[in-house]
Amino acid sequence: MNPKVKRSCPSCGLEAGGEKKERGNPISVQLFPPELVEHIVSFLPVKDVVALGQTCHYFHEVCDAEGVWRRICRRLSPRIRDQGSGARPWKRAAILNYTKGLYFQAFGGRRRCLSKSVAPMLAHGYRRFLPTKDHVFILDYVGTLFFLKNALVSSTLGQIQWKRACRYVVLCRGAKDFASDPRCDTVYRKYLYVLATREQQAVVGSTGSRACDCVEVYLQSSGQRVFKMTFHHSMSFKQIVLVGQETQRALLLLTEEGKIYSLVVNETQLDQPRSYTVQLALRKVSRCLPHLRVTCMASNQSSTLYITDQGGVYFEVHTPGVYRDLFGTLQAFDPLDHQMPLALSLPAKVLFCALGYNHLGLVDEFGRIFMQGNNRYGQLGTGDKMDRGEPTQVHYLHRPIALWCGLNHSLVLSQTSDFSKELLGCGCGAGGRLPGWPKGSASFVKLHIKVPLCACSLCSTRECLYMLSSHDIEQCPAYRDLPASRVGGSPEPSQGAGAPQDPGGTAQACEEYLSQIHSCPTLQDRMEKMKEIVGWMPLMAAQKDFFWEALDMLQRAASGGGPGTSTPES
């Protein structure tokens, strides 16, 4: 059955040509029952439903109805029974499952293209992921932790690397968070620590059961549980991170009230069949500063970073070498008290952070990026290789989606003005960790990788670059507009009348760029420097690609490698 209906605007009855027909009455979509229109719309792809809802007010109401999104959600994920929570649960669930995906690009081998792993049908969106030595673990929005098993293949160099996640199993349910060895090299990630909620039998003499938080430890290679510790039902945690070496592995647990508790385990004894007693204690940052309410934590093998609800940042550094890299001095380092929290001085509230081995990145409420620490490979993106002992703003980047700090390089996921995503990187480029920039860069440059439209987080290992895609409609942009009086790089107003201001410091930055180009000794170096500068500038993705392609053409013409080349006059 294919009834022919004349196309007309539902509000004015105009035909597609824009002229009103005098004879006969065109059929309006508004004459159909709303339930029928919603049923028809629900068969459209998600992107077409969103596009149709932007045509007029009538279709906006139709395409935004929960009945439409309920049918779409059941079509996308028929096994999902719990649609989630929020003001628009079915729309949120449908978009979460439509946009979910784990993408990766392997650094080794000849084939360097973006691939997608298997998507578990039971997963309700993707909230967090973590690659380990052999596999990948993904946590969804209803607390199910999935174990993605990879297909291992031999590379040209004789090393074993994985090609793609070919199958999956459910590791556990009721999970809140999970963590593994905090070092950048996944070869150290032998165990997976899962913070979960489990129903426990009540004490003798009472009936029923109660929910208690626990930490379960699994072998990453097989998914077998080897250890479990259960806490009192009055203690509720929301995040877990690890710090320290295997024999003195400290588990830091963040409560719902913003307090930090810690316990120490010896990983070398976890697989032994015997009872193991651990003691939970309040961390010094919560004991000495009881008024602080911590909202999130980050850690590596020798330091921990805390962000409070007021946007304050506090640091724990456990080794003198990392302390010197981060702060440039050992003046305040106390080798006998590694848990003493150190406050970082920042001009605004910090929203999130990234912590590498000896450098870190912070993003404040205005979307500004601040870097600090060792800069031997240019991993701070400041344009030089000078260490920074305090947070230093990277002026040409703002409002990132995600930030990641590795061993000696950094990555930023950002959104351009045309709503496309791009990945920027700086630091060491050895091993292909900065695709398109094998020699590395002391400034953030656009990497040669296609970024998924809904990418929200990223991670890089020695073998692979990962990007997680999942769009949550309830996560509104948290950045604020920077007040005019606090815009970085703006010159002071002159005493004379009517002096135009440069709010973004554009003129000053361009003068600095010209100075850098002029200091390059050869034409080849100037072309390379100009490519880096184009990557720094806040241009649209298409504009950057145009300038890079034009510079390549000029460079080939100057070297006589292209057809119709001519000798430059100067």
Side-chain angles (χ1 to χ4, degrees):
M1 181 178 180
N2 186 18
K4 296 183 179 180
V5 180
K6 296 181 180 180
R7 293 178 298 169
S8 62
C9 177
S11 58
C12 61
L14 296 179
E15 291 187 358
E19 297 179 357
K20 195 168 185 178
K21 191 173 182 181
E22 295 180 0
R23 292 183 300 172
N25 295 323
I27 300 176
S28 173
V29 179
Q30 288 180 322
L31 299 178
F32 294 120
E35 297 80 6
L36 177 60
V37 178
E38 293 180 3
H39 183 74
I40 296 173
V41 170
S42 65
F43 286 96
L44 296 175
V46 174
K47 61 179 181 179
D48 293 339
V49 174
V50 176
L52 182 63
Q54 298 175 350
T55 56
C56 65
H57 179 71
Y58 173 77
F59 280 122
H60 174 74
E61 293 183 349
V62 172
C63 296
D64 201 44
E66 278 291 276
V68 173
W69 291 105
R70 182 177 64 253
R71 297 185 184 95
I72 293 176
C73 185
R74 288 177 175 174
R75 189 180 75 244
L76 291 174
S77 304
R79 298 184 181 181
I80 293 181
R81 295 292 180 263
D82 184 8
Q83 76 274 18
S85 59
R88 306 296 308 278
W90 285 111
K91 182 177 181 180
R92 178 172 181 256
I95 294 179
L96 278 175
N97 291 283
Y98 176 74
T99 58
K100 68 181 180 183
L102 178 63
Y103 300 84
F104 64 92
Q105 178 169 323
F107 295 141
R110 296 181 179 179
R111 184 183 179 187
R112 297 188 178 182
C113 59
L114 197 66
S115 304
K116 186 177 181 180
S117 66
V118 62
M121 291 296 295
L122 294 175
H124 184 68
Y126 290 165
R127 186 156 61 97
R128 270 203 62 205
F129 79 104
L130 179 69
T132 59
K133 178 182 178 181
D134 305 311
H135 308 291
V136 181
F137 295 86
I138 294 183
L139 179 65
D140 71 356
Y141 278 81
V142 293
T144 305
L145 186 59
F146 293 90
F147 178 27
L148 273 64
K149 298 185 177 182
N150 301 324
L152 299 178
V153 295
S154 298
S155 67
T156 56
L157 300 178
Q159 299 175 348
I160 299 298
Q161 61 184 11
W162 65 276
K163 184 178 179 182
R164 66 186 297 266
C166 57
R167 54 197 178 97
Y168 68 92
V169 295
V170 175
L171 185 70
C172 66
R173 301 182 186 275
K176 293 183 175 182
D177 194 19
F178 62 101
S180 186
D181 191 296
R183 282 173 282 193
C184 296
D185 196 343
T186 56
V187 71
Y188 298 108
R189 297 173 183 173
K190 180 180 179 180
Y191 294 102
L192 187 77
Y193 294 76
V194 180
L195 175 64
T197 301
R198 297 285 181 261
E199 291 291 333
Q200 300 292 334
Q201 294 296 328
V203 295
V204 179
S206 61
T207 58
S209 60
R210 56 181 56 178
C212 298
D213 283 356
C214 64
V215 172
E216 300 175 339
V217 185
Y218 296 84
L219 278 171
Q220 70 85 29
S221 57
S222 61
Q224 177 186 0
R225 194 180 76 182
V226 296
F227 188 70
K228 179 181 179 180
M229 60 188 85
T230 304
F231 307 107
H232 193 265
H233 65 87
S234 63
M235 304 190 70
S236 179
F237 302 101
K238 65 177 183 180
Q239 186 184 2
I240 179 174
V241 298
L242 308 182
V243 65
Q245 303 297 327
E246 291 88 340
T247 56
Q248 287 289 323
R249 183 76 74 198
L251 281 67
L252 306 185
L253 298 164
L254 174 62
T255 67
E256 297 289 349
E257 295 77 22
K259 301 298 181 182
I260 307 293
Y261 286 85
S262 65
L263 57 92
V264 179
V265 298
N266 187 350
E267 281 191 356
T268 61
Q269 300 178 358
L270 289 180
D271 54 355
Q272 299 179 7
R274 66 179 184 86
S275 61
Y276 191 85
T277 304
V278 294
Q279 183 176 2
L280 191 66
L282 193 65
R283 198 72 171 178
K284 190 167 186 177
V285 63
S286 296
R287 191 170 66 248
C288 298
L289 303 172
H291 62 283
L292 293 182
R293 181 184 175 91
V294 179
T295 57
C296 65
M297 306 180 292
S299 69
N300 59 25
Q301 64 268 37
S302 58
S303 57
T304 310
L305 188 146
Y306 307 107
I307 298 180
T308 68
D309 58 344
Q310 300 299 319
V313 179
Y314 292 84
F315 231 133
E316 288 181 14
V317 184
H318 304 160
T319 59
V322 175
Y323 190 96
R324 185 186 294 108
D325 286 335
L326 289 173
F327 299 100
T329 179
L330 289 175
Q331 183 177 0
F333 179 74
D334 187 356
L336 302 178
D337 189 3
H338 296 162
Q339 294 187 18
M340 176 58 68
L342 305 171
L344 294 185
S345 177
L346 288 161
K349 178 180 179 180
V350 172
L351 297 183
F352 61 94
C353 67
L355 185 59
Y357 171 67
N358 53 12
H359 75 289
L360 62 99
L362 303 168
V363 181
D364 70 359
E365 59 183 332
F366 303 114
R368 298 177 297 183
I369 299 177
F370 295 86
M371 306 294 291
Q372 178 179 345
N374 186 286
N375 198 25
R376 179 181 179 184
Y377 298 92
Q379 60 263 43
L380 300 185
T382 54
D384 53 44
K385 295 184 179 181
M386 297 174 56
D387 296 347
R388 299 296 197 278
E390 59 184 13
T392 303
Q393 183 181 354
V394 182
H395 290 280
Y396 55 90
L397 289 181
H398 64 284
R399 301 200 171 201
I401 298 173
L403 177 65
W404 189 86
C405 292
L407 181 63
N408 48 28
H409 71 294
S410 304
L411 301 175
V412 169
L413 179 64
S414 64
Q415 180 172 283
T416 61
S417 55
D418 59 352
F419 298 103
S420 62
K421 303 287 179 62
E422 64 181 11
L423 189 61
L424 307 173
C426 66
C428 180
R433 66 192 68 185
L434 297 180
W437 304 86
K439 297 182 180 179
S441 173
S443 303
F444 281 97
V445 292
K446 181 183 177 182
L447 304 183
H448 296 179
I449 182 172
K450 184 178 180 181
V451 182
L453 183 62
C454 296
C456 59
S457 63
L458 68 152
C459 173
S460 180
T461 66
R462 180 181 296 179
E463 301 85 10
C464 204
L465 172 66
Y466 302 85
M467 286 181 288
L468 187 73
S469 172
S470 188
H471 179 66
D472 188 357
I473 61 175
E474 292 189 353
Q475 290 183 351
C476 300
Y479 294 127
R480 297 169 50 197
D481 292 331
L482 189 65
S485 59
R486 298 176 59 183
V487 173
S490 59
E492 293 295 332
S494 61
Q495 300 297 330
Q501 295 188 4
D502 185 15
T506 306
Q508 182 180 356
C510 290
E511 291 180 2
E512 177 64 24
Y513 295 157
L514 289 175
S515 176
Q516 295 180 17
I517 296 174
H518 181 71
S519 62
C520 295
T522 64
L523 177 62
Q524 178 75 15
D525 294 337
R526 292 186 179 184
M527 294 296 250
E528 294 296 333
K529 177 58 68 174
M530 186 61 192
K531 290 180 182 179
E532 290 187 14
I533 292 174
V534 170
W536 303 342
M537 292 182 171
L539 303 174
M540 296 174 58
Q543 294 173 332
K544 290 183 179 181
D545 293 338
F546 164 75
F547 282 120
W548 276 323
E549 183 64 26
L551 288 170
D552 286 335
M553 293 173 58
L554 294 174
Q555 191 170 1
R556 290 193 298 267
S559 60
T565 58
S566 59
T567 305
E569 298 180 359
S570 59

